[in-house]
Amino acid sequence: MKQKVLFLVTIISCAVMTACANKEIETTTDVVTESAETVKLTVEENEELQTESVEPTEDTTQTAETTEFEEVIGDIDVSAEQLTMADMTEQVVGLDIPMVANEGTDKTTFENFTVIFPSPMFITEYSDNGASAKLESIDFEIQAVLTTGEPSNNIRESMGETQEYIGENYVLEKRAGRNDEYAYQMSYRIIDTTNNNKLMITLTINKEAEYQEYCNNLADEFSEAFEEAVRKNIQ
């Protein structure tokens, strides 16, 4: 009888131990499964973060490359042969174009005196007595000084000097400078005979040989239009 009881107890103990072992295995499996899901989620989150962090870096690189190759003349991008007569605007000497007024002069004498020059967006430099529009192919420079003086009594036509009385009050004197394939220059002296105030304007155009045909055509057309603008002020 004792042997049967002992055998029965042994069987029950084995059953209990087996049940506990199975429960422990199930719990361990659940933990492993949960850990795998956690690892998977962490990897996916990291991939999202990496993707988000790469996008700004690519945008920044692209912006830097664009800025590096940007060529600007004045306030705009311009090609070597883009400037045309359509880009020339009327500008007032002493207001839009700086002018030096010597002592003893009357600034109101030539108030609102208008010339043409490349639009301000093409102007690359202002000085005390003028402005410059320097492009890769061609340079425009203008200088303006107000002084006093009487009309010249020694006009040398052989040296490109001319004198013309216009109306009752003005004398226009011109002095030609260099005029060839590489440069054009003309000086204007406008004298008000009522007070001998004299406005001196010098126009210089420098041309690059690489763009010879373009420069010659633009300089010829511009110089003619410039003189017409000067004359309109005193006619």
Side-chain angles (χ1 to χ4, degrees):
M1 183 68 178
K2 290 182 179 180
Q3 291 180 349
K4 290 183 179 180
V5 172
L6 180 60
F7 178 74
L8 182 60
V9 171
T10 302
I11 291 174
I12 292 173
S13 298
C14 290
V16 171
M17 291 176 63
T18 301
C20 291
N22 288 338
K23 185 175 181 181
E24 184 177 356
I25 292 172
E26 289 176 1
T27 303
T28 305
T29 303
D30 292 341
V31 171
V32 171
T33 303
E34 183 178 356
S35 299
E37 291 178 355
T38 303
V39 170
K40 181 179 179 181
L41 179 59
T42 303
V43 171
E44 290 177 352
E45 290 177 349
N46 287 340
E47 289 178 351
E48 290 180 0
L49 290 174
Q50 289 176 0
T51 302
E52 292 177 357
S53 63
V54 167
E55 290 179 355
T57 303
E58 292 177 351
D59 292 342
T60 303
T61 303
Q62 184 175 2
T63 303
E65 291 178 353
T66 302
T67 304
E68 181 179 356
F69 292 102
E70 191 174 48
E71 294 182 3
V72 178
I73 302 280
D75 294 332
I76 63 172
D77 295 336
V78 57
S79 64
E81 299 182 17
Q82 183 176 334
L83 183 66
T84 68
M85 287 301 298
D87 300 307
M88 308 302 174
T89 61
E90 292 186 346
Q91 300 182 47
V92 178
V93 176
L95 182 62
D96 303 311
I97 302 294
M99 176 188 70
V100 169
N102 290 339
E103 186 177 355
T105 57
D106 182 1
K107 293 183 179 180
T108 63
T109 301
F110 294 100
E111 192 173 17
N112 297 321
F113 193 96
T114 304
V115 296
I116 63 169
F117 201 67
S119 169
M121 69 178 63
F122 290 94
I123 293 178
T124 54
E125 182 180 1
Y126 287 98
S127 61
D128 292 339
N129 65 332
S132 301
K134 297 184 178 182
L135 284 72
E136 179 182 347
S137 57
I138 192 168
D139 297 348
F140 288 83
E141 299 179 8
I142 186 171
Q143 294 180 330
V145 176
L146 181 62
T147 186
T148 58
E150 297 180 355
S152 176
N153 57 6
N154 182 27
I155 298 299
R156 299 165 295 181
E157 294 182 0
S158 61
M159 299 184 66
E161 298 178 357
T162 63
Q163 186 180 71
E164 180 181 356
Y165 283 78
I166 300 176
E168 298 180 356
N169 300 328
Y170 297 102
V171 174
L172 174 61
E173 298 178 352
K174 294 167 50 181
R175 297 182 181 180
R178 182 179 179 181
N179 187 8
D180 55 26
E181 297 298 307
Y182 304 102
Y184 169 86
Q185 187 175 73
M186 182 66 71
S187 296
Y188 297 87
R189 306 289 189 265
I190 304 100
I191 304 154
D192 185 337
T193 57
T194 63
N195 59 12
N196 284 338
N197 272 237
K198 177 166 62 175
L199 178 60
M200 301 189 300
I201 299 175
T202 301
L203 171 67
T204 304
I205 303 175
N206 296 308
K207 315 173 212 176
E208 292 295 328
E210 184 178 354
Y211 307 95
Q212 199 69 75
E213 183 177 358
Y214 162 77
C215 292
N216 287 340
N217 292 336
L218 182 57
D220 290 345
E221 190 174 2
F222 178 82
S223 59
E224 182 178 346
F226 187 89
E227 183 163 328
E228 289 179 2
V230 169
R231 288 178 174 273
K232 283 182 180 179
N233 293 278
I234 56 179
Q235 288 178 336

